[in-house]
Amino acid sequence: MAKINGEDFNEVITIGEYLKKKGYTAARVAVMVNGEILSKNEYDCTKIQPDDEVEIVGFVGGG
Amino acid sequence: MKISEREFAEAVNSRSKSPIYDKMKAATVGIAGLGGLGSNIAAALVRSGIGRLVLADFDKVELSNINRQAYFLRDIGRRKTEALAEILREINPFCEIVTHDVRVDEKNCLEIFGECPIVCEAFDGAEEKAMLVNTLLSESKTVKIIAGSGMAGFGRANEIVTKKISERLFVCGDGKTDVADGEGLSASRVIICAGHIASKAVEIILA
């Protein structure tokens, strides 16, 4: 089973679909798959694989 | 007062069982954005004896910055790079400071920060934060990034934490309090987040 931000996930969808479903804005996130950064142009063609560990950072403004 | 580097180093090392100055002096850190996070991160790092800072911001100091940024009223209207470099030299004249008075974007960020093993992301806007993290992690194979996300408002100090996302990415903040929601930004909470970022940078340097 895949893990996204530490939670179990077992649907076969793309990163792009997941972000949309969860209400993330693609321009404000960084997505790490198994410790490596995923380029934005790969979001829509990268399917979440059963053993993937995905970390999504949704940035908020202020600094 | 004229202080020698030896005296400064001894003062940085004082009360510490293992001296840190030599390791700090050998280190280079980049800071992207010189607002509430960046200016306070830089001040913390020069106080700990950092050897080299690469600072980038295109902006000028405004009155609305004084509530949380390290600048003085006398700096209003000056370029942040120039004003901050002067403040930092008054704290620690032995730090080499490189400034880039430019808006950091996808095209220039590797050129500006490519030489830095550690980069602190200290922008104000969420999209700029994401841009820097995505671009540097993709284009550099080694850089470690410490980013800030979620430090608006007052109070809830203990909600601000440092989170390890991967070997090369750390994110400090509460992860959710967005300045766009209208809570404003305060020195107390922004400085806590800046302290987390600077502390992680020092931890990596001394590891």
Side-chain angles (χ1 to χ4, degrees), chain B residues 108-200:
Chain B
N108 64 18
C109 77
L110 191 66
E111 196 183 315
I112 294 169
F113 294 114
E115 60 160 318
C116 304
I118 300 167
V119 174
C120 301
E121 179 288 309
F123 290 136
D124 193 45
E127 284 172 23
E128 286 71 33
K129 290 171 181 291
M131 176 280 295
L132 187 89
V133 169
N134 279 286
T135 310
L136 281 183
L137 285 182
S138 310
E139 293 188 4
S140 159
K141 296 294 158 227
T142 54
V143 68
K144 291 185 175 172
I145 304 178
I146 311 164
S149 182
M151 79 296 302
F154 298 88
R156 293 168 292 116
N158 290 345
E159 290 181 14
I160 293 179
V161 296
T162 299
K163 201 174 160 200
K164 182 180 182 179
I165 308 297
S166 77
E167 289 304 320
R168 295 174 57 204
L169 178 62
F170 301 84
V171 179
C172 304
D174 66 22
K176 57 179 193 254
T177 318
D178 193 331
V179 71
D181 295 336
E183 284 197 60
L185 290 159
S186 64
S188 47
R189 211 154 188 269
V190 171
I191 287 172
I192 293 167
C193 191
H196 268 268
I197 295 175
S199 185
K200 178 50 76 178

Side-chain angles (χ1 to χ4, degrees), chain B residues 14-131:
Chain B
S14 67
R15 302 209 253 174
S16 170
K17 270 188 262 174
S18 42
I20 67 163
Y21 190 80
D22 290 350
K23 273 192 179 174
M24 290 299 297
K25 178 73 182 180
T28 298
V29 170
I31 303 178
L34 305 178
L37 290 175
S39 63
N40 289 305
I41 293 165
L45 292 176
V46 295
R47 288 184 196 280
S48 293
I50 190 88
R52 194 159 191 266
L53 284 180
V54 177
L55 308 176
D57 200 306
F58 67 95
D59 220 351
K60 288 181 176 167
V61 180
E62 293 174 35
L63 180 57
S64 62
N65 301 152
I66 302 297
N67 70 344
R68 67 189 190 283
Q69 307 188 12
Y71 305 100
F72 298 97
L73 290 175
R74 66 164 193 246
D75 297 319
I76 290 169
R78 295 177 72 195
R79 295 185 187 288
K80 286 187 173 176
T81 45
E82 179 195 322
L84 186 60
E86 187 179 297
I87 292 167
L88 299 176
R89 285 190 194 102
E90 288 177 40
I91 299 169
N92 173 359
F94 310 106
C95 174
E96 185 190 342
I97 298 167
V98 180
T99 59
H100 295 270
D101 187 33
V102 66
R103 189 184 282 273
V104 178
D105 60 26
E106 285 106 328
K107 292 190 188 77
N108 64 18
C109 77
L110 191 66
E111 196 183 315
I112 294 169
F113 294 114
E115 60 160 318
C116 304
I118 300 167
V119 174
C120 301
E121 179 288 309
F123 290 136
D124 193 45
E127 284 172 23
E128 286 71 33
K129 290 171 181 291
M131 176 280 295

Side-chain angles (χ1 to χ4, degrees), chain A residues 9-27:
Chain A
F9 186 79
N10 59 2
E11 285 174 56
V12 183
I13 59 173
T14 67
I15 292 288
E17 286 164 340
Y18 181 86
L19 292 174
K20 203 168 174 186
K21 192 172 148 182
K22 294 287 180 178
Y24 285 103
T25 306

